[in-house]
Short mmCIF file of all heavy atoms in Angstrom, two decimals:
data_model
loop_
_atom_site.label_atom_id
_atom_site.label_comp_id
_atom_site.label_asym_id
_atom_site.label_seq_id
_atom_site.Cartn_x
_atom_site.Cartn_y
_atom_site.Cartn_z
N GLN A 20 119.11 92.16 137.34
CA GLN A 20 119.29 92.81 138.62
C GLN A 20 119.28 91.77 139.74
O GLN A 20 118.49 90.83 139.72
CB GLN A 20 118.17 93.81 138.87
CG GLN A 20 118.39 95.15 138.17
CD GLN A 20 117.36 96.15 138.60
OE1 GLN A 20 116.19 95.82 138.77
NE2 GLN A 20 117.77 97.36 138.81
N ARG A 32 112.14 77.82 142.84
CA ARG A 32 112.39 76.68 143.72
C ARG A 32 111.11 76.15 144.35
O ARG A 32 111.10 75.02 144.85
CB ARG A 32 113.40 77.06 144.80
CG ARG A 32 112.85 77.99 145.88
CD ARG A 32 113.89 78.27 146.93
NE ARG A 32 113.37 79.10 148.00
CZ ARG A 32 114.06 79.48 149.06
NH1 ARG A 32 115.32 79.08 149.20
NH2 ARG A 32 113.51 80.24 149.99
N ASP A 83 124.13 44.84 121.98
CA ASP A 83 123.30 44.94 120.78
C ASP A 83 123.65 43.82 119.79
O ASP A 83 124.36 42.87 120.12
CB ASP A 83 123.42 46.33 120.14
CG ASP A 83 124.84 46.61 119.64
OD1 ASP A 83 125.69 45.69 119.66
OD2 ASP A 83 125.09 47.75 119.22
N LYS A 85 125.64 43.69 117.46
CA LYS A 85 127.06 43.59 117.10
C LYS A 85 127.93 43.38 118.34
O LYS A 85 129.16 43.53 118.27
CB LYS A 85 127.49 44.83 116.33
CG LYS A 85 126.83 44.95 114.97
CD LYS A 85 127.29 46.19 114.24
CE LYS A 85 126.67 46.24 112.83
NZ LYS A 85 125.20 46.21 112.85
N PHE A 114 119.83 83.57 114.54
CA PHE A 114 119.18 84.21 113.39
C PHE A 114 117.79 84.72 113.75
O PHE A 114 117.37 85.78 113.26
CB PHE A 114 119.10 83.22 112.22
CG PHE A 114 120.43 82.90 111.61
CD1 PHE A 114 121.08 81.71 111.92
CD2 PHE A 114 121.05 83.79 110.76
CE1 PHE A 114 122.31 81.41 111.36
CE2 PHE A 114 122.29 83.50 110.19
CZ PHE A 114 122.92 82.31 110.50
N TRP A 128 108.59 98.47 105.99
CA TRP A 128 108.85 97.44 104.98
C TRP A 128 109.82 96.38 105.48
O TRP A 128 109.76 95.22 105.05
CB TRP A 128 109.39 98.09 103.70
CG TRP A 128 110.75 98.72 103.83
CD1 TRP A 128 111.04 100.00 104.15
CD2 TRP A 128 112.01 98.03 103.64
NE1 TRP A 128 112.41 100.18 104.18
CE2 TRP A 128 113.02 99.00 103.85
CE3 TRP A 128 112.36 96.73 103.30
CZ2 TRP A 128 114.36 98.69 103.75
CZ3 TRP A 128 113.72 96.42 103.19
CH2 TRP A 128 114.69 97.39 103.42
N THR A 131 107.68 93.98 107.31
CA THR A 131 106.84 93.24 106.36
C THR A 131 107.62 92.14 105.66
O THR A 131 107.16 90.99 105.59
CB THR A 131 106.26 94.21 105.31
OG1 THR A 131 105.48 95.21 105.98
CG2 THR A 131 105.36 93.46 104.33
N LEU A 141 106.80 79.12 108.81
CA LEU A 141 105.81 78.60 109.75
C LEU A 141 104.71 77.81 109.05
O LEU A 141 104.01 77.02 109.70
CB LEU A 141 105.19 79.74 110.56
CG LEU A 141 106.06 80.32 111.68
CD1 LEU A 141 105.37 81.54 112.29
CD2 LEU A 141 106.33 79.29 112.76
N ASN A 162 123.94 68.04 109.36
CA ASN A 162 122.82 68.56 108.58
C ASN A 162 121.52 68.53 109.39
O ASN A 162 120.64 69.38 109.17
CB ASN A 162 122.66 67.75 107.29
CG ASN A 162 123.80 67.96 106.33
OD1 ASN A 162 124.51 68.97 106.40
ND2 ASN A 162 124.02 67.02 105.43
N MET A 174 110.10 80.77 115.42
CA MET A 174 109.59 80.92 116.78
C MET A 174 110.34 82.01 117.53
O MET A 174 109.74 82.86 118.19
CB MET A 174 109.70 79.59 117.53
CG MET A 174 108.93 78.44 116.90
SD MET A 174 107.16 78.80 116.73
CE MET A 174 106.71 79.04 118.44
N ILE A 210 117.73 97.26 124.42
CA ILE A 210 116.52 96.48 124.16
C ILE A 210 116.75 95.00 124.42
O ILE A 210 116.01 94.36 125.17
CB ILE A 210 116.02 96.70 122.72
CG1 ILE A 210 115.51 98.15 122.55
CG2 ILE A 210 114.90 95.72 122.38
CD1 ILE A 210 114.99 98.46 121.16
N PHE A 238 116.11 58.13 113.58
CA PHE A 238 115.31 56.91 113.54
C PHE A 238 114.95 56.56 112.10
O PHE A 238 114.88 55.40 111.71
CB PHE A 238 114.05 57.09 114.37
CG PHE A 238 113.16 55.88 114.42
CD1 PHE A 238 113.41 54.86 115.32
CD2 PHE A 238 112.07 55.76 113.58
CE1 PHE A 238 112.60 53.73 115.36
CE2 PHE A 238 111.25 54.65 113.60
CZ PHE A 238 111.52 53.63 114.51
N ALA A 274 115.71 57.02 127.70
CA ALA A 274 116.66 58.14 127.77
C ALA A 274 116.12 59.37 127.05
O ALA A 274 116.18 60.50 127.57
CB ALA A 274 118.00 57.71 127.15
N ASP A 287 108.95 75.14 131.55
CA ASP A 287 107.68 75.63 132.11
C ASP A 287 107.92 76.35 133.43
O ASP A 287 107.29 77.38 133.71
CB ASP A 287 106.71 74.46 132.31
CG ASP A 287 106.15 73.94 131.00
OD1 ASP A 287 106.19 74.68 130.00
OD2 ASP A 287 105.69 72.78 130.98
#
Side-chain angles (χ1 to χ4, degrees):
Q20 279 188 320
R32 73 178 182 179
D83 64 7
K85 293 180 176 58
F114 290 101
W128 67 268
T131 301
L141 284 174
N162 291 339
M174 300 302 299
I210 292 180
F238 181 83
D287 287 340

